[in-house]
Amino acid sequence: MKRKIVALCLFLLLLSGISLFVQANADEATTYNAEEIYERAESAVFYIRALNDDNTLKASGTGVMISPDGIAATAYHVVAEADHLEAIFNDGRMVSSIEVLGRDDQTDAAILKLPAATAVARENASFEKKASYNALRVRETAVKHGEKVFAIGYPMKDTPIITEGIINSPKAEINGRDRILTSAQIVGGMSGGPVIDRYGRLAGIVSGSMRTMNNIHLVIPTEQLRNLLPPSTK
């Protein structure tokens, strides 16, 4: 009898493992087109204003939430030497008191900490109250030649756009920095914005454009973002 019970338990565990494996593969196999990518990502992407001490505009760009508890990523050159930062989301919510948790001018990566979503809700009383931020899942594996990707950013405060392209090179050394190269169109103001793979995962952060190659643009790999995260968030 005991042997039968043990055998039954092992069988049930095997079935459970198979079910989880199938589900994981099913989730990984779900791909999205440009319209679906934008709908899934738009609330996680924001327009960012880097301000001087007198509130005059120093620079502007784009950022993206990578954790529901307020961790975000952008390009370092967008926030460099700013006295304070403001984020404006697609629904009009404005967020201030943003902290720069980590930055690296060599990789052009920066990690930000936004105040708790509940505090933001109190400051923006006319907007829907949220307990957390919408965030993109960060890709853990390297991109590959020819993969389809999408870039989202704010060339203007009230004008988020999405572009589509492929990975031209998953790793290229540009001025001593490792960069992903993509044909997804990038314009001014999109720096710091997300480059998203067809599964809806963050594959990198927009850094700039190639001067020596037409329509080839530079992307910060997610590995360089992870290096700047506090240990508790990695």
Side-chain angles (χ1 to χ4, degrees):
M1 183 66 179
K2 290 183 178 178
R3 289 183 179 178
K4 289 183 178 179
I5 292 173
V6 170
L8 179 60
C9 291
L10 289 173
F11 179 69
L12 291 174
L13 284 171
L14 178 62
L15 283 180
S16 175
I18 291 173
S19 175
L20 289 172
F21 177 76
V22 170
Q23 182 62 43
N25 281 333
D27 291 342
E28 185 70 12
T30 303
T31 60
Y32 305 98
N33 60 29
E35 180 181 358
E36 293 165 331
I37 288 290
Y38 185 80
E39 288 178 351
R40 292 171 63 86
E42 62 174 328
S43 59
V45 183
F46 54 87
Y47 174 75
I48 187 167
R49 302 175 73 230
L51 302 171
N52 294 307
D53 189 50
D54 60 358
N55 283 332
T56 56
L57 184 66
K58 184 177 185 63
S60 64
T62 304
V64 58
M65 304 303 305
I66 58 175
S67 172
D69 61 359
I71 304 298
T74 189
Y76 172 72
H77 74 264
V78 173
V79 300
E81 300 180 6
D83 288 295
H84 50 279
L85 303 170
E86 288 182 348
I88 303 171
F89 285 83
N90 69 317
D91 62 3
R93 283 178 302 152
M94 181 177 292
V95 181
S96 55
S97 302
I98 299 171
E99 179 184 356
V100 179
L101 284 186
R103 56 192 177 191
D104 187 337
D105 60 343
Q106 293 301 309
T107 62
D108 195 30
I111 298 295
L112 310 178
K113 179 66 170 73
L114 277 64
T118 50
V120 172
R122 287 194 296 270
E123 292 181 5
N124 296 262
S126 61
F127 293 94
E128 178 186 356
K129 290 179 172 56
K130 297 182 179 180
S132 61
Y133 293 95
N134 292 328
L136 294 187
R137 184 160 58 104
V138 179
R139 177 171 171 149
E140 296 183 358
T141 56
V143 294
K144 299 177 181 178
H145 281 94
E147 275 195 70
K148 180 182 288 188
V149 289
F150 308 87
I152 298 178
Y154 279 84
M156 295 181 285
K157 176 183 173 182
D158 299 317
T159 311
I161 67 171
I162 183 170
T163 63
E164 181 178 337
I166 63 169
I167 297 296
N168 302 111
S169 174
K171 186 176 182 180
E173 186 175 322
I174 309 294
N175 297 326
R177 308 171 180 176
D178 285 341
R179 285 287 179 264
I180 297 168
L181 304 184
T182 183
S183 63
Q185 185 61 42
I186 304 299
V187 296
M190 293 180 71
S191 289
V195 173
I196 305 169
D197 69 14
R198 63 189 186 279
Y199 301 108
R201 302 172 301 187
L202 180 69
I205 295 292
V206 173
S207 179
S209 299
M210 287 287 292
R211 295 180 179 178
T212 56
M213 299 183 193
N214 290 333
N215 301 317
I216 301 295
H217 308 282
L218 309 177
V219 178
I220 304 163
T222 55
E223 179 183 1
Q224 295 175 4
L225 299 175
R226 284 196 182 90
N227 292 338
L228 296 176
L229 288 171
S232 60
T233 61
K234 290 184 180 180

